[in-house]
């Protein structure tokens, strides 16, 4: 059986390397007589590559070769990747991808085509890099009704927050450091503004709850607004700030999905996840809380997940795996402001005791947080849990109190 790889970047080159490095055991596990790389698609030239005879710039060479049964897509982006993957599935080839943007936006449609053509569309590497999470949800935890899934799904932002928490580094400094180390892109928008985490939680929520969650419907906040004082207040409260992506079932027809910085208690399993590591907590009704932890990005960890999918696709050549989700109705994602949560609020007050009285009158008791070296007029506190929109509207327009930041407080 022959395989092709489209996109020879970080992940694609890792896939090629792994296919050669562990060739014999991969062939054995795939239950095929052979599993060989036939083509690598890339618009760039790699004259010194040991695989230089495999390169092509023409997608149609792969599409029209009947010997190629499995194609790996590690190009990224949606435009070309979507067009190519759709054509490959329609041509009866299985596709394995690490492209979270593609799966989050077009997963339902591509899974439908795969089903119709009796081939597989697999994407273990799209969430959590080398962490096994797609198969555990769809197979190992299949007996559970999953009520909630939450996690740290972006390594770059977790690295930046870790630097802020442990070294008191400023956001800009930590971002620059992450760029120097190659974690963050030159344009770090997708990571720091939460879009990468959003795409990943969309995929996980679609799998857990059975209907496609589209990124445009998810309330997404990044970490640009987090200051070192917020980090210090989180420590005074007894925890840390993490960029948490979460999805929770309300009922069969509705879920909430959010991405945003969150206060996480120090004893939570997510609090100790530092640097570029990712962790995902799944709450099942039979298994309870299960946490998956590991390297969420990087060449070889991600290649590990891609090649595992190649092996699985090879094992299931004549059988489509029962794997996928339905499309969702318009109002499937509930308004995040109706979600119940405690909130951390930091603001400035002309007269702190008057402001506290006014806040108490509107939302009841609050827990005031104190840190050393805070400005005299700063007031930071934690509310009791209530629908977020209710808290926000009640504390808005309090005379003499201006809000500087609001962060959700998790219960895990
Ligand atoms: N930019 C992503 C991260 C890469 O930092 O986690 C893996 O999706």
């Amino acid at each position: 059986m022959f395989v092709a790889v489209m996109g020879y970047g970080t992940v694609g080159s890792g896939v090629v390397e792994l296919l050669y490095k562990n060739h014999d055991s991969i062939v054995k596990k795939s239950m095929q007589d052979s599993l060989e790389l036939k083509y690598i698609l890339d618009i760039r030239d790699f004259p010194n590559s040991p695989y230089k005879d495999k390169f092509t710039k023409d997608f149609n060479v792969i599409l029209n070769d009947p010997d190629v049964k499995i194609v790996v897509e590690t190009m990224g982006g949606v435009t070309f990747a979507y067009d190519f993957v759709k054509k490959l599935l329609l041509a009866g080839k299985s596709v394995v991808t690490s492209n979270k943007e593609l799966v989050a936006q077009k997963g339902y449609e591509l899974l439908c085509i795969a089903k119709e053509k009796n081939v597989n569309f697999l994407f273990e590497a799209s969430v959590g890099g080398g962490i096994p999470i797609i198969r555990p949800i769809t197979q190992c935890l299949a007996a559970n009704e999953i009520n909630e899934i939450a996690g740290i799904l972006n390594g770059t932002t977790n690295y930046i927050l870790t630097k802020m928490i442990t070294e008191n580094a400023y956001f800009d400094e930590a971002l620059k450091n992450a760029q120097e180390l190659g974690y963050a892109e030159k344009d770090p928008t997708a990571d720091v503004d939460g879009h990468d985490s959003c795409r990943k939680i969309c995929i996980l929520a679609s799998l857990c709850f059975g209907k496609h969650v589209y990124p445009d419907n998810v309330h997404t906040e990044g970490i640009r607004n987090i200051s070192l004082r917020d980090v210090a207040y989180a420590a005074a409260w007894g925890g840390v700030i993490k960029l948490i992506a979460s999805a929770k079932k309300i009922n069969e027809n509705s879920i909430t999905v959010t991405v945003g910085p969150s206060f996480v208690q120090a004893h939570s399993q997510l609090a100790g996840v530092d640097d570029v590591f990712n962790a995902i907590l799944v709450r099942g009704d039979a298994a309870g809380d299960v946490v998956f932890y590991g390297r969420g990005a990087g060449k070889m960890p991600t290649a590990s997940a891609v090649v595992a999918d190649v092996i699985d696709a090879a094992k299931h050549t004549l059988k489509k795996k029962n794997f996928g989700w339905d499309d969702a109705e318009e109002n499937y994602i509930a308004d995040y402001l109706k979600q119940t949560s405690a909130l951390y609020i930091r603001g400035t007050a002309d007269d702190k005791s008057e402001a506290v009285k006014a806040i108490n009158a509107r939302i009841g008791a609050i827990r005031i947080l104190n840190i050393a070296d805070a400005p005299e007029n700063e007031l930071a506190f934690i509310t009791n849990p209530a629908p977020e929109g209710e808290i926000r509207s009640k504390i808005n327009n309090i005379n003499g109190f201006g809000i500087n930041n609001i962060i959700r407080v998790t219960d895990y």
Side-chain angles (χ1 to χ4, degrees):
M1 178 175 291
F2 286 98
V3 176
V5 172
M6 304 193 301
Y8 196 64
T10 308
V11 178
S13 60
V15 170
V16 172
E17 193 178 320
L18 200 52
L19 283 172
Y20 279 96
K21 180 170 175 278
N22 295 344
H23 174 267
D24 293 354
S25 73
I26 288 169
V27 173
K28 198 168 165 200
K29 287 172 196 164
S30 72
M31 297 169 76
Q32 297 292 323
D33 295 334
S34 68
L35 193 67
E36 308 303 327
L37 180 71
K38 191 158 183 185
Y39 304 110
I40 304 169
L41 177 75
D42 205 293
I43 49 167
R44 296 165 296 177
D45 292 312
F46 295 89
N48 301 320
S49 165
Y51 319 108
K52 56 178 180 289
D53 58 320
K54 309 279 182 202
F55 280 91
T56 175
K57 291 184 182 25
D58 184 359
F59 165 70
N60 289 313
V61 169
I62 296 171
L63 180 67
N64 297 327
D65 186 332
D67 290 341
V68 175
K69 302 286 186 212
I70 302 167
V71 181
V72 171
E73 186 275 305
T74 45
M75 298 158 49
V78 172
T79 319
F80 290 110
Y82 170 59
D83 182 40
F84 290 179
V85 169
K86 195 171 168 177
K87 284 179 173 150
L88 290 162
L89 293 171
L90 285 167
K93 299 180 194 298
S94 286
V95 175
V96 169
T97 185
S98 59
N99 186 338
K100 56 246 162 186
E101 202 176 346
L102 176 71
V103 182
Q105 285 191 28
K106 304 287 184 184
Y108 170 68
E109 184 190 343
L110 295 171
L111 282 160
C112 285
I113 299 172
K115 190 173 178 185
E116 195 190 306
K117 294 289 170 186
N118 206 29
V119 292
N120 286 291
F121 177 56
L122 303 176
F123 41 86
E124 181 66 62
S126 65
V127 182
I131 307 172
I133 183 64
I134 306 287
R135 253 176 217 77
I137 289 173
T138 51
Q139 294 179 10
C140 317
L141 293 170
N144 289 255
E145 281 298 318
I146 293 172
N147 305 313
E148 188 169 357
I149 182 158
I152 296 166
L153 302 180
N154 182 266
T156 303
T157 44
N158 202 42
Y159 177 84
I160 293 171
L161 289 172
T162 303
K163 286 272 160 198
M164 293 175 76
I165 294 163
T166 60
E167 295 174 24
N168 251 1
Y170 287 109
F171 172 83
D172 291 341
E173 214 179 294
L175 171 60
K176 195 163 162 260
N177 188 219
Q179 283 168 323
E180 279 159 9
L181 288 168
Y183 300 146
E185 303 290 330
K186 226 172 170 186
D187 174 5
T189 311
D191 291 319
V192 297
D193 291 335
H195 306 304
D196 178 73
S197 296
C198 173
R199 291 163 189 150
K200 292 168 178 167
I201 195 68
C202 286
I203 298 169
L204 295 178
S206 302
L207 278 173
C208 288
F209 306 122
K211 290 182 188 174
H212 194 116
V213 176
Y214 291 93
D216 285 351
N217 297 336
V218 174
H219 176 76
T220 301
E221 296 166 36
I223 63 164
R224 284 186 208 265
N225 286 342
I226 304 300
S227 71
L228 284 178
R229 287 223 295 290
D230 295 320
V231 168
Y233 280 118
W237 167 76
V240 289
I241 299 176
K242 294 285 180 191
L243 182 65
I244 299 291
S246 72
K248 199 171 182 175
K249 185 172 178 173
I250 301 173
N251 55 47
E252 287 311 318
N253 302 316
S254 183
I255 64 169
T256 52
V257 192
T258 52
V259 176
S262 307
F263 273 35
V264 177
Q265 290 161 15
H267 60 72
S268 161
Q269 296 195 69
L270 298 182
V273 177
D274 284 337
D275 296 317
V276 285
F277 281 84
N278 284 193
I280 302 143
L281 179 148
V282 184
R283 283 192 164 160
D285 63 349
D289 284 3
V290 185
V291 176
F292 300 85
Y293 169 85
R295 292 182 191 280
K299 179 175 168 170
M300 296 319 281
T302 310
S304 150
V306 172
V307 176
D309 273 350
V310 171
I311 295 170
D312 209 14
K315 273 163 72 176
H316 291 89
T317 34
L318 298 173
K319 194 171 182 298
K320 161 83 179 77
K321 293 185 71 177
N322 187 12
F323 173 69
W325 51 72
D326 297 330
D327 208 1
E329 304 80 38
E330 193 132 299
N331 298 323
Y332 179 52
I333 308 296
D335 180 358
Y336 78 98
L337 291 170
K338 292 194 175 136
Q339 197 175 338
T340 293
S341 175
L343 297 179
Y344 154 85
I345 297 171
R346 175 171 60 82
T348 44
D350 300 339
D351 179 331
K352 282 213 270 199
S353 70
E354 281 303 313
V356 170
K357 269 191 223 158
I359 292 163
N360 288 153
R362 293 201 188 177
I363 60 166
I366 53 173
R367 177 179 159 194
I368 294 174
L369 302 174
N370 293 300
I371 57 168
D373 303 325
E376 194 53 38
N377 63 349
E378 186 158 271
L379 177 62
F381 58 91
I382 305 284
T383 72
N384 280 321
E388 181 170 338
E390 246 174 55
I391 305 177
R392 283 178 181 266
S393 63
K394 283 181 181 169
I395 57 148
N396 225 351
N397 302 325
I398 290 183
N399 242 346
F401 179 62
I403 298 168
N404 294 326
N405 209 357
I406 299 182
I407 298 176
R408 270 169 228 111
V409 177
T410 65
D411 59 0
Y412 32 75

